Amino acid sequence: MTSPTSRAISRLGIGSYRLAMGVPEHERILYRALERQKDPRLNINLIDTSSNYSNGRSEQLIGKVLSNPRHNTLRRDEIVLATKFGYIQNENMRLLSEGVFQRVPPEEIVEYSRECFHSIHPEFMRDQLTRSLERLNTKYVDILFVHNPEYFLMTNIKGTEVNVKKHQTILLNRLQILFEELEREIEKGRIRAYGISSNSFSLKPSHAHFLPYQDLVKMATSAFERMRIQRQQEHALFLEQQQQQEPSGGFISGGNRGNKVFPPSNSNSFSTATKTTPLSPSQKPGSTSTSDSQKRSTAPKLVQRTTHGLGYLQMPGNLLETEGLQTTAKWAKTKNLSVFINRPLNAMSPEYGPARLASYPEPLSPTYAQAKDEILEALMALSRHREYLGPKMQRLTEMIEGLDESLRTDKLSIIQMEGASVRNTLHQELAKPVPISPKGKAAHGSSGASAGSPPLSPDAAAAVHAFKTAPTATKPTVAAHQTVTKPFTSSPSSSSTPPPSASSSHGGTHGKVSEQEIDHLVKSLDHFIHAFHQQVRFQETTRIAKIMTERGINLKGEPIEQFAVEYLLEHDQVDAVLMGMKREPYVDFARGLLKSLAVPSPPS
């Protein structure tokens, strides 16, 4: 496959969803992934990122690495760099609150949730592209993807009574307007091509949140033609005005400057105060004002391209999500569009739920059962020997029992644990201050479940769902009514004093917790967390292998992850598979797959 710059694109690409500036390991991994190979077929030259990945820090990392190539890594002009826009989160949410996006009509900002807004308005696109180019430290990106435009559908279609066709039409009209502006960005040189990256492309066409794709190429062709005709008329108008301004005798010297590139205007940046607003598709071509034309020193450049710049679709696809592969991707190939597949190993199947398509071994030492028994015994011992810690130990016990209960469902996926941290959840509970009354007993209102509590208290139930909400680490605070607190932590820098006790500081139910007790508890907790993660992975591997067997899929003795990626690459409609590469073994795995593709298979 070739890129907009006629360079070959590697079959495997670098997905940078979890890469971030400021993490030395990520920088090291990115350099390693971009190492030049003796066999060019083993090079990985496709990088996919987005303005919202790691709140822009993914783009910053890529910009740093590409701006400082090593002697053995690919250069920027050998890289096919793709980024995306659309999300309003984190930094963008702050900019929105400060009025930076005031030129975007309020109705063009989709409020999906409190933390997540979305927009595909041309003004927002131009702003985001400018910021992305700055973070990437490059003058252009090879591909700019419109990122999940179906958020408009997801926000407005939440019931069966909603007119789905009406909202799909509104979204397609917005894309039509956007396409024309993207065509202009190609002419400015800030992008080489554009595309749409949409999770909805992997849904059934009958799904309410599905983005209809059948007219996308027609829309892009129409957008290109409108832009091209407008450029022609602007060019002719400029020359006509130049003639009118000249005294009799013809053109001024240098008047025939139509071959020069008109410098890209920064008038559409939100950081500038004034300037020219781009013409909308509803405006007639050639309607540029005389004053604007008089300000130009060169004629608008005529469009040399003969076709539109829509060239790429991106969507999820894997062993358990094949709808997009069989419909959207096949259609794309008939329209000469290239297809990138993301989430090759992370399935979000309506039938099977979240599933990590990889092979993991069973935890051996300690086993999960051993680690669970160890931490429960440590919690029970502290609760028995340090009465004031009883409520905290009870809460931790219930959380661990809740996690154990979730394992028995045999539907837990390691994917659910990537967006949140079981370790953080348990450690934060461990580090919460323990309110102490003057007599050394826990203050009222801080006790755990009563003796008559059901097996799974709200705390335990919260533990089952701990992976679905990433807690924010905060420094423990003291409530106004709590006069004495003791943070329960193993940190040597803690300056907290032990709770008052009539007993010796080395014993008794109210005595100071020893360093040995704290060390043993934290180690036992970490042993459990590690074993729990390993057990989740192993059980998921067993579950996926069973699903493959039920579906008549023969893994041929290969690890699930290898079979899964090879399966995608065997489809003619798939041009590249994007793989997350946040650890060095992932880079080695990708390189090994490319090597196997480069070696012809023996005749059967």
Side-chain angles (χ1 to χ4, degrees):
M1 176 184 58
T2 57
S3 73
T5 51
S6 300
R7 288 192 299 275
I9 298 181
S10 53
R11 295 297 310 280
L12 295 179
I14 301 169
S16 63
Y17 175 66
R18 296 194 181 279
L19 299 183
M21 183 76 162
V23 183
E25 182 184 10
H26 292 175
E27 182 174 334
R28 183 171 65 253
I29 290 167
L30 188 53
Y31 271 116
R32 181 167 180 176
L34 295 175
E35 286 178 357
R36 190 186 310 278
Q37 306 297 301
K38 291 182 179 179
D39 185 344
R41 293 175 297 178
L42 306 186
N43 287 336
I44 301 174
N45 74 335
L46 172 61
I47 302 177
D48 179 79
T49 185
S50 178
S51 62
N52 69 318
Y53 289 176
S54 298
N55 197 23
R57 290 164 56 215
S58 172
E59 289 182 329
Q60 288 176 334
L61 174 65
I62 294 167
K64 177 182 178 182
V65 169
L66 294 185
S67 300
N68 299 277
R70 294 175 178 171
H71 71 281
N72 63 337
T73 60
L74 301 176
R75 302 182 308 274
R76 169 66 184 96
D77 60 0
E78 299 174 283
I79 298 293
V80 176
L81 181 57
T83 192
K84 314 181 192 75
F85 85 96
Y87 282 88
I88 302 177
Q89 296 173 300
N90 302 311
E91 176 66 10
N92 273 343
M93 195 68 82
R94 182 186 67 80
L95 295 175
L96 176 66
S97 68
E98 295 176 355
V100 176
F101 306 142
Q102 59 184 341
R103 294 179 68 181
V104 179
E107 64 272 16
E108 295 276 353
I109 296 178
V110 177
E111 298 184 11
Y112 177 71
S113 71
R114 185 175 180 180
E115 297 81 18
C116 179
F117 291 5
H118 195 276
S119 180
I120 61 170
H121 190 270
E123 292 285 359
F124 185 66
M125 176 273 293
R126 283 187 286 263
D127 171 87
Q128 294 296 283
L129 177 57
T130 297
R131 295 178 192 277
S132 288
L133 293 176
E134 290 174 354
R135 288 190 290 260
L136 291 165
N137 197 21
T138 184
K139 294 181 179 179
Y140 70 95
V141 291
D142 295 281
I143 309 165
L144 179 63
F145 281 106
V146 186
H147 203 179
N148 289 333
E150 70 273 14
Y151 266 85
F152 174 79
L153 303 177
M154 294 161 61
T155 302
N156 290 283
I157 304 175
K158 295 183 178 179
T160 56
E161 72 284 355
V162 178
N163 188 332
V164 174
K165 184 68 176 178
K166 170 186 173 183
H167 286 92
Q168 288 178 332
T169 300
I170 293 173
L171 178 57
L172 290 174
N173 287 339
R174 291 182 177 184
L175 284 170
Q176 175 96 37
I177 294 171
L178 175 64
F179 281 3
E180 188 170 339
E181 299 306 319
L182 289 169
E183 294 290 344
R184 290 191 178 93
E185 291 295 346
I186 293 177
E187 291 305 303
K188 292 178 184 178
R190 299 210 300 171
I191 67 175
R192 300 289 175 85
Y194 60 93
I196 297 178
S197 175
S198 174
N199 292 335
S200 82
F201 287 151
S202 291
L203 300 175
K204 291 182 179 297
S206 58
H207 196 287
H209 300 157
F210 178 76
L211 173 61
Y213 53 74
Q214 292 84 354
D215 291 332
L216 291 179
V217 172
K218 181 180 178 181
M219 289 161 52
T221 300
S222 176
F224 168 72
E225 283 301 315
R226 285 197 305 273
M227 183 276 300
R228 184 183 63 81
I229 292 172
Q230 182 174 321
R231 276 296 183 92
Q232 285 181 337
Q233 296 191 353
E234 288 176 349
H235 181 87
L237 179 61
F238 173 86
L239 296 181
E240 179 183 344
Q241 291 171 344
Q242 289 290 88
Q243 285 180 312
Q244 293 174 353
Q245 293 171 13
E246 289 306 306
S248 58
F251 292 104
I252 59 170
S253 175
N256 186 18
R257 295 184 288 180
N259 292 328
K260 290 190 177 181
V261 179
F262 182 55
S265 169
N266 64 356
S267 61
N268 295 317
S269 171
F270 289 119
S271 60
T272 52
T274 53
K275 326 267 194 200
T276 309
T277 301
L279 296 172
S280 69
S282 61
Q283 291 177 288
K284 294 182 179 180
S287 60
T288 305
S289 68
T290 301
S291 59
D292 287 340
S293 298
Q294 288 173 342
K295 294 177 184 177
R296 292 187 175 130
S297 60
T298 58
K301 184 180 179 182
L302 292 173
V303 177
Q304 302 299 315
R305 292 182 289 135
T306 59
T307 188
H308 61 83
L310 176 65
Y312 298 86
L313 297 186
Q314 184 179 149
M315 70 196 76
N318 49 66
L319 286 170
L320 300 183
E321 292 180 280
T322 60
E323 179 68 32
L325 289 170
Q326 303 305 325
T327 56
T328 312
K330 284 187 175 180
W331 170 85
K333 299 313 293 182
T334 67
K335 301 299 181 180
N336 201 31
L337 301 178
S338 297
V339 174
F340 295 169
I341 296 295
N342 58 43
R343 286 206 285 103
L345 303 180
N346 288 348
M348 302 292 183
S349 166
E351 183 178 359
Y352 301 104
R356 176 72 171 174
L357 304 175
S359 298
Y360 294 102
E362 184 175 11
L364 299 177
S365 180
T367 65
Y368 170 71
Q370 290 171 338
K372 184 187 72 172
D373 290 344
E374 178 187 350
I375 183 59
L376 290 178
E377 288 173 5
L379 291 171
M380 184 180 297
L382 264 180
S383 181
R384 187 167 57 246
H385 298 151
R386 300 289 183 264
E387 181 180 323
Y388 71 96
L389 292 176
K392 178 185 287 291
M393 298 301 102
Q394 177 65 20
R395 286 194 297 272
L396 283 166
T397 297
E398 290 176 343
M399 293 173 76
I400 288 168
E401 288 175 345
L403 292 170
D404 184 61
E405 179 68 22
S406 69
L407 272 178
R408 295 178 195 151
T409 66
D410 201 28
K411 293 183 179 180
L412 198 59
S413 172
I414 197 65
I415 295 175
Q416 295 167 300
M417 303 171 66
E418 290 180 342
S421 171
V422 173
R423 178 186 178 90
N424 284 350
T425 302
L426 293 174
H427 277 202
Q428 284 177 18
E429 177 59 38
L430 187 64
K432 286 180 180 177
V434 180
I436 304 300
S437 68
K439 293 183 179 180
K441 295 183 179 181
H444 293 296
S446 64
S447 62
S450 64
S453 298
L456 287 181
S457 68
D459 281 325
V464 175
H465 300 287
F467 331 112
K468 298 181 181 178
T469 54
T472 303
T474 56
K475 183 177 181 180
T477 58
V478 182
H481 68 280
Q482 296 172 355
T483 56
V484 183
T485 61
K486 180 190 186 305
F488 190 80
T489 174
S490 60
S491 172
S493 62
S494 175
S495 59
S496 302
T497 58
S501 172
S503 305
S504 165
S505 62
H506 300 290
T509 59
H510 306 305
K512 177 183 178 180
V513 181
S514 69
E515 290 295 326
Q516 291 82 358
E517 287 175 310
I518 294 177
D519 185 61
H520 175 67
L521 179 61
V522 173
K523 284 184 178 179
S524 297
L525 190 60
D526 285 346
H527 285 165
F528 169 77
I529 294 168
H530 177 74
F532 178 78
H533 285 185
Q534 294 299 314
Q535 187 69 20
V536 170
R537 291 185 175 96
F538 172 69
Q539 288 186 189
E540 188 167 26
T541 296
T542 304
R543 179 168 68 96
I544 296 305
K546 182 180 178 181
I547 291 173
M548 295 297 103
T549 300
E550 292 173 349
R551 298 182 63 172
I553 298 176
N554 182 6
L555 296 176
K556 304 175 184 178
E558 293 182 347
I560 296 173
E561 61 271 24
Q562 181 172 338
F563 183 90
V565 178
E566 289 176 346
Y567 164 81
L568 294 172
L569 294 174
E570 288 172 358
H571 286 75
D572 292 337
Q573 64 268 37
V574 174
D575 293 285
V577 175
L578 301 170
M579 298 182 57
M581 298 187 190
K582 61 178 181 179
R583 297 191 181 95
E584 291 192 25
Y586 296 175
V587 178
D588 297 337
F589 171 66
R591 199 82 71 188
L593 283 172
L594 289 175
K595 189 173 296 185
S596 66
L597 289 174
V599 178
S601 302
S604 55

